[in-house]
Amino acid sequence: MYRFLLTRQWVILTLLALVLMPTMVELGFWQLHRHQHRVAQNELISRNLKAEPLPVTDLTSPGHTVPRADYWRAVTATGTFDTEHEVVVRRRTSDDDRIGVHVLTPLDLKDGSTVLINRGWVPAAPNQTAYPDVPPAPRGEVTVTGRLKADETTGSSGIKDLAGLPDRQVMLINSEQQAHLLSREVLGGYIEQTAPEPSGGLPEQIASPDDSSIGAHMAYAVQWWLFVAAVPVGWIILVRREKRDREEAAAKGEPADTAEQPEPASA
């Protein structure tokens, strides 16, 4: 009564089940790895935000690539803002999803190097070519505290670096690009300013990264693995149902369906 398993329909169904099971196992592990990555990132964010601020020059230098271990690390920098070479970073959103720009101002340090300071978000200008209204940076020597971030690239951010932009407008926060424009050394990465707070509320400082949400990746992983267990169970149920139906048909003397019967072996 199990010869029906050799029919084309059941062979295809069985092969499909055999393909689906390892695929769903892999999808479960993919979601598990995403969960583990999120947990590790949250731990890194929490640890670096709570750490005692270090001078930015202790963690980066001209041409340096900020490693992931130093992302969001609390740092300080003392110097003078170079507002003449300030630029805005297009297509950035505020905490409540308003479209605008980030204000990127070089801070000249006492040792002669420069670090980029992301002072925060301001509304965009009425048209694409105009420079937005940006509140001036503090005059004189100032100590900035903030979160150390790595240079943005198209590959890491997904943002296309457009050419031919209006003067003093850029798409990415990138120390190498700014070093070329400034013709002087710029520390690798940049600082996302958290202090001092601007008077008047602008630029709006960027909120701290979320270090509590872990998403539903673990639930999705368990869900895929439950699907793996369900496939053979479902296959067995279908086989037993098919067997029962054939037995009932045979008991009633009804002819068996031969359309999908396996071909007899040749002598």
Side-chain angles (χ1 to χ4, degrees), residues 59-254:
L59 296 178
T60 185
S61 58
H64 178 74
T65 298
V66 177
R68 176 164 290 276
D70 289 337
Y71 285 12
W72 304 286
R73 184 66 167 80
V75 294
T76 61
T78 300
T80 305
F81 278 116
D82 178 8
T83 55
E84 182 180 348
H85 295 99
E86 184 174 77
V87 298
V88 294
V89 191
R90 292 161 61 107
R91 298 182 185 176
R92 302 299 166 120
T93 56
S94 64
D95 291 343
D96 54 1
D97 294 328
R98 290 173 292 157
I99 301 297
V101 298
H102 282 175
V103 181
L104 190 66
T105 312
L107 183 72
D108 295 334
L109 307 179
K110 293 180 178 180
D111 64 1
S113 62
T114 297
V115 63
L116 302 176
I117 307 295
N118 184 349
R119 296 202 289 128
W121 179 92
V122 297
N127 61 72
Q128 293 286 328
T129 59
Y131 193 79
D133 184 16
V134 177
R139 294 176 179 270
E141 187 174 271
V142 61
T143 296
V144 172
T145 302
R147 300 178 286 264
L148 181 63
K149 301 290 292 292
D151 286 324
E152 295 178 346
T153 64
T154 296
S156 65
S157 67
I159 301 171
K160 187 175 181 180
D161 192 10
L162 302 176
L165 295 177
D167 188 39
R168 299 175 63 195
Q169 298 191 33
V170 297
M171 296 300 300
L172 299 169
I173 305 177
N174 187 282
S175 62
E176 290 186 6
Q177 290 182 358
Q178 293 304 308
H180 178 73
L181 294 174
L182 295 169
S183 299
R184 62 177 182 265
E185 291 187 335
V186 177
L187 302 185
Y190 65 97
I191 297 177
E192 209 169 64
Q193 182 176 336
T194 58
E197 294 184 4
S199 59
L202 284 176
E204 293 181 9
Q205 293 186 339
I206 301 168
S208 296
D210 182 10
D211 62 350
S212 59
S213 174
I214 59 173
H217 302 302
M218 179 57 77
Y220 292 150
V222 173
Q223 187 179 62
W224 280 118
W225 291 331
L226 288 176
F227 288 160
V228 174
V231 168
V233 172
W235 186 86
I236 292 172
I237 290 173
L238 290 177
V239 169
R240 295 183 65 179
R241 182 179 298 172
E242 179 81 3
K243 178 176 178 293
R244 185 184 66 243
D245 291 345
R246 287 175 176 268
E247 288 175 342
E248 291 176 354
K252 293 177 182 178
E254 297 177 357

